[in-house]
Amino acid sequence: MKYIFLIFFMNLLPQYAGKSLRRDDSYLKTFEDIKNEIAGYTDIAKAIIDLAVHGKAQNRSYERLAVFADTIGPRLSGSKNLDAAIKYMFSALQEDRLENVHLEPVKVPHWERGEEFAMMLEPRNHSIAILGLGSSVATPPEGITAEVIVVASFDELHKRAQEAKGKIVVYNEPFISYGETVQYRSQGAVEAAKVGAVASLIRSIASFSIHSPHTGWQNYQSDVPWIPTACISVEDAEMMSRMSFRGTKIVVHLKMGAKTYPDSPSFNTVAEIVGSKYPEQIVLVSGHLDSWDVGQGAMDDGGGAFISWEALSLIKDLGLRPKRTLRLVLWTAEEQGGIGAEQYYQLHKENINNFDIVMESDEGTFKPSGLGFTGSAKARDIMKEIMTLLQPINVTAVYNDADGTDINYWMRDGVPGASLHDDISKYFWFHHSQGDTMTVQDPNQMNLCAAVWTVVSYVIADMEEMLPRPLASLQLRPQIPIEQAGGES
């Protein structure tokens, strides 16, 4: 058996000749050597921090984002605004003199909400603030007028299934966490339809509300009737819950003009600083360029996209060229389940062994505290050392698990991943709502985020060895079919 493995290993060697690819959880250098190598980047890290936080590049990512968001506005998948945003960024990256600026074509969903409104008719007239959920079907042209049943959970809905037939289900689920509570947005219409409801209204997945509905993607099932579905404000959901608890009959008129069109052409937007020694090896930094069709998409995910651009700009401004290629990808159609990223993965997965790390910022660019990281224990040790370079701005923590819809495809196959970890205490106040505007953004906090993103990506791209990962992750494995992957943030 050992001879078979030796033959296999020797066959691998030619394809890695001349490359730095020590990824089998062992080191060409001792860990002490690696610590010393990382310490050698102290002056470069300080120069990046000084330029981003105090120098000529101070506030640049914020100012660039403000012009973009104010000029383009929201950028829904399949929309003319998203097309304009991609053209804008393609030109801007070229003007920034980045390398290999290009667009990679993909197909993306095209859904439009159309005219929509909801009115409580009983026990009194009251205009209900709504936002249709992504992929929702329309009501009939005359709308739907029906009695309401209010539930706090799927369990309660199923227990009261006989009451729900022919009614509009209103979910007044409490916000626990986004990850736990978002199931009501994504599955609420399906569960309501299973018990014969004619529509569903979901309390917005938000930790705080000022009468603000928060939209997002939802999913139908082919074997369950498709009913119209929208989100409503926390305030309206709680009011109807109180009314229902008192035994008051509630009647609502709902009208939605949503339409789903054939998939539209779109693009992932790419730019690089080509590596000086191992140009075929990739350190990927990213954010998504699309947004929902409300607000400006400044927080989700304009900030993440623009600090990723800023990372390349800062490195270029300092005259640095790392050993590996630093690649910026601005994803399209993330909000519909990482559609652009999924197609990017399918196109580039044959080179998976050359991807050193994939990084995505998609949880705001508020005050940073560190990075979330997914990778081997030895890669985590290296990341912890790299983060010590950020002591001047007190951003040194490494948290468990990177988070990013667009980089999950790579991480599941063993590529190390990182995501920005920042103060998200107010993130879900504005998420997927009209409140996601430039007013949410803080230039000083974006400066700090850009500094973190740049130091980490540059050092990983310039170290002599790639981040280690188990040998098993370098071998080909069966891939999940494209239609089975996905998720939405």
Side-chain angles (χ1 to χ4, degrees):
M1 187 68 184
K2 64 182 180 181
Y3 297 111
I4 294 174
F5 178 79
L6 180 61
I7 292 170
F8 169 77
F9 184 75
M10 291 178 68
N11 285 334
L12 281 179
L13 289 178
Q15 58 183 307
Y16 299 131
K19 297 183 179 182
S20 171
L21 187 64
R22 193 67 169 186
R23 305 189 92 170
D24 56 355
D25 254 359
S26 64
Y27 293 103
L28 291 173
K29 301 177 180 180
T30 67
F31 187 64
E32 194 63 32
D33 290 335
I34 291 174
K35 287 177 65 175
N36 291 335
E37 180 185 10
I38 292 169
Y41 289 100
T42 299
D43 289 344
I44 288 178
K46 185 177 184 300
I48 291 171
I49 292 168
D50 286 346
L51 181 59
V53 178
H54 310 294
K56 292 182 178 180
Q58 183 186 51
N59 300 345
R60 181 170 61 187
S61 60
Y62 173 90
E63 291 164 358
R64 283 173 166 175
L65 176 59
V67 174
F68 171 79
D70 293 343
T71 301
I72 303 296
R75 308 168 296 281
L76 186 63
S77 172
S79 69
K80 292 181 178 179
N81 275 24
L82 180 58
D83 291 344
I86 292 168
K87 292 176 182 177
Y88 180 104
M89 289 307 304
F90 178 74
S91 296
L93 296 172
Q94 287 183 316
E95 290 172 9
D96 199 28
R97 302 189 307 281
L98 298 177
E99 298 166 339
N100 295 337
V101 178
H102 65 281
L103 303 176
E104 298 190 4
V106 296
K107 287 285 190 177
V108 300
H110 182 187
W111 172 88
E112 295 179 5
R113 71 176 60 257
E115 181 186 3
E116 54 186 20
F117 67 89
M119 177 69 70
M120 179 191 291
L121 304 179
E122 295 183 35
R124 63 181 174 87
N125 285 348
H126 168 69
S127 179
I128 299 172
I130 68 167
L131 283 174
L133 294 176
S135 80
S136 177
V137 295
T139 63
E142 68 275 13
I144 293 172
T145 301
E147 189 175 343
V148 162
I149 177 175
V150 183
V151 297
S153 68
F154 290 143
D155 285 344
E156 182 182 356
L157 175 67
H158 297 149
K159 289 176 183 177
R160 301 175 62 189
Q162 294 301 316
E163 299 176 55
K165 188 173 182 180
K167 295 181 181 177
I168 296 173
V169 172
V170 169
Y171 292 95
N172 183 40
E173 76 290 344
F175 182 87
I176 299 171
S177 68
Y178 184 75
E180 184 170 347
T181 312
V182 74
Q183 63 179 316
Y184 288 93
R185 190 189 76 204
S186 60
Q187 302 170 32
V190 168
E191 295 303 315
K194 285 179 181 178
V195 295
V198 294
S200 63
L201 298 174
I202 291 94
R203 168 175 162 160
S204 289
I205 314 304
S207 55
F208 178 78
S209 175
I210 307 178
H211 204 236
S212 52
H214 297 238
T215 190
W217 198 251
Q218 65 90 38
N219 301 295
Y220 289 121
Q221 290 181 10
S222 59
D223 57 344
V224 177
W226 292 16
I227 61 174
T229 183
C231 59
I232 61 176
S233 71
V234 171
E235 292 87 344
D236 281 341
E238 291 187 340
M239 178 183 68
M240 285 190 277
S241 179
R242 292 191 302 271
M243 289 176 169
S244 177
F245 183 76
R246 292 191 291 263
T248 302
K249 180 181 178 181
I250 305 168
V251 175
V252 166
H253 177 71
L254 175 68
K255 187 171 182 180
M256 297 173 59
K259 292 183 180 179
T260 296
Y261 298 90
D263 286 355
S264 296
S266 188
F267 301 90
N268 293 315
T269 308
V270 183
E272 294 179 336
I273 294 177
V274 177
S276 62
K277 188 174 183 181
Y278 308 116
E280 75 284 358
Q281 295 174 9
I282 306 299
V283 168
L284 186 149
V285 294
S286 68
H288 65 87
L289 202 59
D290 67 300
S291 73
W292 279 100
D293 56 340
V294 290
Q296 292 182 303
M299 180 191 75
D300 183 18
D301 180 36
F306 274 66
I307 66 163
S308 296
W309 173 17
E310 184 69 9
L312 272 67
S313 292
L314 290 168
I315 290 168
K316 176 182 63 66
D317 291 348
L318 289 168
L320 302 171
R321 184 175 292 276
K323 296 181 180 70
R324 290 175 194 83
T325 294
L326 189 60
R327 178 177 294 169
L328 166 69
V329 182
L330 303 177
W331 311 108
T332 190
E334 184 275 344
E335 296 292 1
Q336 289 65 39
I339 302 299
E342 188 175 22
Q343 293 173 64
Y344 179 90
Y345 169 79
Q346 294 296 331
L347 182 63
H348 295 280
K349 66 182 180 181
E350 65 182 4
N351 296 317
I352 192 169
N353 292 346
N354 279 327
F355 280 76
D356 194 355
I357 189 171
V358 288
M359 300 170 60
E360 179 172 24
S361 172
D362 187 21
E363 290 188 329
T365 46
F366 300 107
K367 184 179 179 181
S369 57
L371 290 182
F373 180 75
T374 295
S376 69
K378 291 180 179 177
R380 178 177 296 275
D381 289 341
I382 293 173
M383 185 63 73
K384 288 179 179 178
E385 288 300 314
I386 293 172
M387 294 302 290
T388 65
L389 297 171
L390 290 155
Q391 285 178 347
I393 54 173
N394 194 30
V395 184
T396 59
V398 177
Y399 299 89
N400 290 333
D401 301 326
D403 185 25
T405 297
D406 300 303
I407 60 175
N408 280 338
Y409 307 101
W410 301 93
M411 293 191 296
R412 75 179 182 202
D413 283 346
V415 177
S419 57
L420 184 69
H421 200 284
D422 61 323
D423 177 8
I424 62 168
S425 60
K426 295 182 179 180
Y427 182 77
F428 293 107
W429 294 18
F430 311 106
H431 183 250
H432 295 184
S433 78
Q434 292 285 10
D436 183 356
T437 69
M438 280 305 300
T439 302
V440 177
Q441 299 299 117
D442 182 290
N444 296 320
Q445 292 175 351
M446 286 191 70
N447 294 338
L448 295 172
C449 292
V452 173
W453 219 225
T454 308
V455 169
V456 172
S457 60
Y458 175 79
V459 172
I460 293 174
D462 196 60
M463 291 177 65
E464 187 58 39
E465 296 179 13
M466 297 175 81
L467 292 173
R469 69 183 194 234
L471 182 61
S473 68
L474 293 173
Q475 300 171 3
L476 293 177
R477 58 174 67 180
Q479 305 299 332
I480 298 175
I482 189 166
E483 66 274 6
Q484 295 180 13
E488 189 266 324
S489 66

